[in-house]
Amino acid sequence: LLSVPLLVFSATASCTLSFTVTPSKTSIEPGEAVSYAVKLKNTSKTACKSASYSMYYAANESFVSALPKATAKNYYWNIGNLASGKEYSTTIVTKHVPSSAATIVNQACATADNAMDACDRTVVSISAPAPLPVPAIPLVEEPIAVIVPTAPTSATPVSVPQLPKEAGVWVWDSPI
């Protein structure tokens, strides 16, 4: 079997898209919101036909808002024709959904009928939560209480297992 490359020529002039997605922060606290500045620009002398872009959110973030609003389902913007030198901008806000992931990774891609796709990828780090403070335990020089187990008498009802007859301190069935 012989493979021959196929060249396709188009009578339609092509346009060139410049596409960027920039997070407002490169590191956030767990549960914090982050906004993304999305910019799509036609950098050619030809109009881009039916321009659009999609934002693919990470599993550990949830959509909060966008201005202007998305055309469909909070992730797709249909811009239409984008004239030479014109730019379309959107601000998208998401919120981190706590998970074991240490980053939020997004990808967004723009396209037009007469342009190659342009994509951008963003990475936002999630700060590790601060460890909980460990309370100081005061040192006690004298014992607070000494428990000396004794065998129950027949007049003492016991609903827990009997403790051994030896004197000592016991906690949860384990000698201290």
Side-chain angles (χ1 to χ4, degrees):
L1 185 61
L2 180 62
S3 176
V4 178
L6 178 63
L7 299 176
V8 178
F9 295 96
S10 171
T12 306
S14 64
C15 73
T16 305
L17 294 172
S18 169
F19 185 64
T20 59
V21 179
T22 307
S24 59
K25 301 175 183 180
T26 56
S27 181
I28 62 171
E29 297 296 320
E32 189 176 356
V34 63
S35 63
Y36 298 92
V38 181
K39 295 186 186 221
L40 175 63
K41 184 174 183 177
N42 178 351
T43 60
S44 65
K45 294 182 181 186
T46 304
C48 292
K49 297 179 181 180
S50 301
S52 65
Y53 74 86
S54 296
M55 178 79 161
Y56 305 100
Y57 304 109
N60 60 338
E61 73 180 328
S62 62
F63 175 84
V64 175
S65 65
L67 283 176
K69 290 183 178 182
T71 310
K73 297 196 180 226
N74 300 327
Y75 65 85
Y76 177 79
W77 284 260
N78 183 10
I79 298 153
N81 293 338
L82 191 60
S84 174
K86 295 296 180 185
E87 183 175 280
Y88 183 86
S89 298
T90 305
T91 299
I92 300 170
V93 179
T94 65
K95 185 175 180 180
H96 172 250
V97 176
S99 71
S100 61
T103 58
I104 294 175
V105 180
N106 289 320
Q107 182 157 333
C109 290
T111 189
D113 288 349
N114 58 335
M116 297 286 291
D117 290 356
C119 296
D120 198 5
R121 180 175 181 255
T122 61
V123 178
V124 176
S125 298
I126 311 301
S127 300
L132 295 175
V134 177
I137 300 173
L139 294 175
V140 178
E141 292 183 18
E142 307 228 0
I144 296 172
V146 176
I147 301 169
V148 180
T150 58
T153 64
S154 59
T156 308
V158 175
S159 61
V160 294
Q162 291 185 5
L163 296 173
K165 291 182 183 179
E166 299 85 23
V169 177
W170 288 75
V171 178
W172 296 102
D173 259 349
S174 298
I176 295 179

